[in-house]
Amino acid sequence: MEKITELERLLETLHYIDVEGQTKISIRGLECRSEKVKPGYIFFCLEGGRADGHDFIPQAIEAGAVAVVLEKEREVQGASKILVPNVRMAMAVMAELFWGSPSQELCLIGVTGTNGKTTTTHLIEAALRDQSYRTALLGTIKYRIGDEILPVLATTPEAVDLQKILYHMVQKRVEYAVMEVSSHALELNRVSGCDFDIAVYTNITEDHLDFHKNFERYRAAKGKLFSQQGGSVLKGNAPRFAVLNRDDRHYNFFLRQTTVQAVSYGIEKKADVQAENIYISGHGVSYLLRTPWGTENFSLKLTGKFSVYNALAATTVALLKGVPISAIKNSLESVGGISGRFERVDVGQDFLVIIDYAHTPDGLENILQAAKHFVEGNIITIFGCGGERDKGKRPVMGRIAGKYSNYCIITSDNPRGEDPGRIIEEIEIGLRENKDFGSGYAVQSDRFEAIKLGIELARSGDMVIIAGKGHESYQVFSDCTIPFNDREIAAELLAKRIQSKTREKS
């Protein structure tokens, strides 16, 4: 998939730049990681939290970079030097131009919010794919173009990667591309140069404050998806839309950011697309859907009130793209589950074991509230909080776990460079504040042992919720990253428990 463009052509749209060296040279690729630079590439010097790309200019040139884009004054020998005010914006502009503005050839649907992005994108893509459209999906769990699976680089990849992937979609004749859009991506201009047809807002609660510093900046970053949604209310002959959660308390903020037609969905407040008569069970959720396109009863295999919101968002998008309501019903009702999203682990035990990615206060509260609707026995919650991330949510998550659980086991969840014991202590503060806490809690920093303990404590009719990592298959420590998959470990421990009970009976 090699593409060659003249550097001079890529610089035509950049302003306030200072160029030293040749511009009539061929460019074969773009890269912002020095170790991935190849001959003929442009190297973009990004400044990150752990490293500064400006420090890796010699390595990039040695690897074959013929041009370096930077925003700090540095000596560049052996390559053209392009000094710009903002490397990230320059990278977005040049990446879009290099790959030929691929998003203009796609119907691009972006989903942002604190929780629900992954499930919502999967549901949207399923509803469109089932209509025989050629689809692609980009998100936390997977990148898929048709039947082709690509390595996941980030929830939303850097501009040089994203534009290349979008170009690949165009080459594969994809019609609809559905992608998660993270707040980091919006703040760091990763999706600048992406022409979104539909932008979807799920919800917003405090998260990533280690990066955004405060909630207002976090919310403003999310708002960029809507305020930057094209300069026209049309894309070609098709109208653009913003799909907004009417029940979210920040609905009006996002409505004000929106520059195109807004369509709302919800449960509690009057919305364009609305669910009524909701019934939640351990096997799924059912509701009556009312829309301007008609009314229909839905019965999903996904459960919890949060699943209704995700389904409503996906339904709204599909309706706007002309999918019949009956077809949407068939598609969404056929979705058995999303990896790591309220995912059941069942090897024949007489209690429920659920794996969920919930790593925010709102996410944890959502799944625990859902469990309260149908669990007959005790709720045993196993969770932790990530290291080097927003510390303020730790006691909050402790309070929430204590409020809804009968028993909690606090453990490690990617401690990274922090002391796992210190993280647990901060979670315990919230647990101890909850006077209504059930039978107590335990501390087990070893996540394997924590899951083992939770499964050993469970009795018939109980539910064990293992929260925080979901689909992840690793555990990150200060000096290493090890393989670790909650679902696989839970299944292994459940099988051993069943085998042990079988031997006891015999």
Side-chain angles (χ1 to χ4, degrees):
M1 195 172 60
E2 184 177 62
K3 210 169 182 298
I4 302 175
T5 301
E6 291 294 311
L7 175 60
E8 189 174 50
R9 169 81 176 109
L10 296 180
L11 297 179
E12 287 178 358
T13 53
L14 291 181
H15 297 279
Y16 306 108
I17 62 174
D18 185 8
V19 181
E20 295 179 12
Q22 294 294 318
T23 60
K24 294 183 180 297
I25 52 178
S26 296
I27 301 301
R28 296 177 177 273
L30 314 176
E31 190 51 72
C32 57
R33 289 147 299 209
S34 60
E35 70 275 11
K36 293 191 175 183
V37 169
K38 295 179 181 179
Y41 274 38
I42 296 175
F43 175 60
F44 296 90
C45 302
L46 299 185
E47 185 174 5
R50 294 181 178 274
D52 186 343
H54 293 81
D55 297 332
F56 296 88
I57 293 173
Q59 293 90 324
I61 294 174
E62 185 178 356
V66 294
V68 175
V69 179
L70 65 168
E71 62 190 26
K72 298 178 181 179
E73 187 56 59
R74 293 286 193 277
E75 183 179 1
V76 176
Q77 294 185 345
S80 296
K81 174 182 175 180
I82 304 160
L83 187 64
V84 300
N86 186 315
V87 170
R88 285 193 171 276
M89 183 54 74
M91 183 171 72
V93 171
M94 296 173 77
E96 182 190 2
L97 191 58
F98 182 84
W99 292 108
S101 300
S103 66
Q104 295 182 14
E105 306 299 319
L106 302 162
C107 179
L108 187 61
I109 300 165
V111 180
T112 197
T114 304
N115 298 303
K117 295 188 298 296
T118 298
T119 299
T120 300
T121 53
H122 278 72
L123 294 177
I124 293 170
E125 196 262 346
L128 295 169
R129 185 182 66 245
D130 289 349
Q131 292 297 296
S132 298
Y133 291 118
R134 291 184 291 275
T135 62
L137 180 69
L138 291 181
T140 306
I141 296 177
K142 67 176 68 172
Y143 295 175
R144 185 177 67 230
I145 302 176
D147 295 326
E148 181 185 3
I149 303 297
L150 304 177
V152 174
L153 304 173
T155 296
T156 313
E158 292 285 0
V160 290
D161 301 309
L162 179 55
Q163 294 296 331
K164 181 178 180 179
I165 292 169
L166 294 176
Y167 173 80
H168 186 46
M169 291 178 188
V170 173
Q171 299 303 108
K172 293 289 185 177
R173 298 186 299 127
V174 165
E175 297 166 281
Y176 289 94
V178 189
M179 63 181 289
E180 296 181 45
V181 185
S182 69
S183 60
H184 287 72
L186 289 159
E187 186 68 23
L188 299 174
N189 299 120
R190 293 178 187 173
V191 293
S192 296
C194 291
D195 196 356
F196 289 97
D197 294 68
I198 298 180
V200 181
Y201 167 63
T202 60
N203 53 69
I204 189 167
T205 58
E206 289 194 5
D207 195 21
H208 302 304
L209 299 192
D210 54 301
F211 176 77
H212 295 286
K213 306 307 179 188
N214 59 57
F215 179 78
E216 287 69 28
R217 289 177 60 177
Y218 174 51
R219 187 178 67 170
K222 294 287 189 186
K224 288 182 179 181
L225 179 63
F226 303 91
S227 62
Q228 298 175 359
Q229 197 181 353
S232 169
V233 295
L234 300 178
K235 183 176 176 181
N237 295 320
R240 302 179 198 266
F241 292 100
V243 174
L244 307 176
N245 181 349
R246 185 66 183 87
D247 294 341
D248 187 84
R249 67 190 184 94
H250 297 280
Y251 166 81
N252 287 326
F253 170 84
F254 287 93
L255 183 62
R256 288 194 299 271
Q257 304 306 305
T258 299
T259 59
V260 298
Q261 297 180 76
V263 182
S264 64
Y265 66 91
I267 298 172
E268 298 164 4
K269 296 179 180 178
K270 183 62 176 176
D272 299 311
V273 176
Q274 191 145 20
E276 301 176 357
N277 304 332
I278 298 169
Y279 176 72
I280 300 171
S281 74
H283 301 287
V285 62
S286 61
Y287 55 90
L288 174 66
L289 178 74
R290 292 191 184 278
T291 82
W293 294 266
T295 302
E296 184 63 84
N297 287 299
F298 277 61
S299 183
L300 308 183
K301 296 173 184 174
L302 308 176
T303 193
K305 191 176 181 180
F306 58 92
S307 293
V308 179
Y309 280 109
N310 296 335
L312 288 174
T315 297
T316 306
V317 171
L319 288 169
L320 290 171
K321 299 314 296 182
V323 181
I325 195 168
S326 58
I328 298 170
K329 169 185 167 72
N330 292 336
S331 294
L332 300 196
E333 289 185 345
S334 68
V335 175
I338 312 298
S339 177
R341 271 60 180 177
F342 217 80
E343 180 182 6
R344 180 180 294 190
V345 182
D346 191 349
V347 299
Q349 77 276 8
D350 58 357
F351 56 90
L352 294 171
V353 175
I354 298 295
I355 307 295
D356 196 271
Y357 189 52
H359 59 286
T360 66
D362 187 60
L364 186 62
E365 187 166 29
N366 282 339
I367 63 169
L368 291 173
Q369 282 182 335
K372 280 289 189 183
H373 277 93
F374 56 82
V375 176
E376 297 176 357
N378 291 324
I379 296 175
I380 301 169
T381 304
I382 305 166
F383 77 108
C385 290
E388 300 178 356
R389 298 295 185 266
D390 180 16
K391 295 182 180 182
K393 68 183 180 183
R394 294 171 186 173
V396 179
M397 291 181 70
R399 282 194 294 272
I400 290 169
K403 178 179 179 180
Y404 294 101
S405 307
N406 299 95
Y407 196 81
C408 289
I409 303 170
I410 316 173
T411 188
S412 294
D413 180 349
N414 295 333
R416 300 181 177 87
E418 280 196 72
D419 175 15
R422 179 58 185 160
I423 297 173
I424 289 171
E425 287 174 3
E426 293 176 357
I427 296 171
E428 279 188 276
I429 293 171
L431 275 171
R432 290 195 295 265
E433 287 178 2
N434 196 321
K435 296 179 181 179
D436 298 325
F437 188 57
S439 58
Y441 69 93
V443 170
Q444 175 50 261
S445 61
D446 185 306
R447 194 171 180 92
F448 178 90
E449 293 297 329
I451 296 172
K452 181 180 178 183
L453 176 59
I455 289 173
E456 288 174 349
L457 291 173
R459 297 294 178 262
S460 179
D462 290 350
M463 174 184 276
V464 178
I465 295 179
I466 307 171
K469 295 181 63 61
H471 65 283
E472 292 180 353
S473 59
Y474 53 83
Q475 181 86 313
V476 184
F477 296 93
S478 60
D479 57 348
C480 66
T481 298
I482 64 171
F484 199 99
N485 185 299
D486 284 353
R487 182 181 54 79
E488 292 178 359
I489 288 168
E492 174 190 333
L493 291 169
L494 287 168
K496 288 181 179 179
R497 171 175 163 144
I498 289 174
Q499 291 169 5
S500 176
K501 288 187 176 294
T502 300
R503 285 194 298 268
E504 288 175 6
K505 291 180 179 179
S506 62

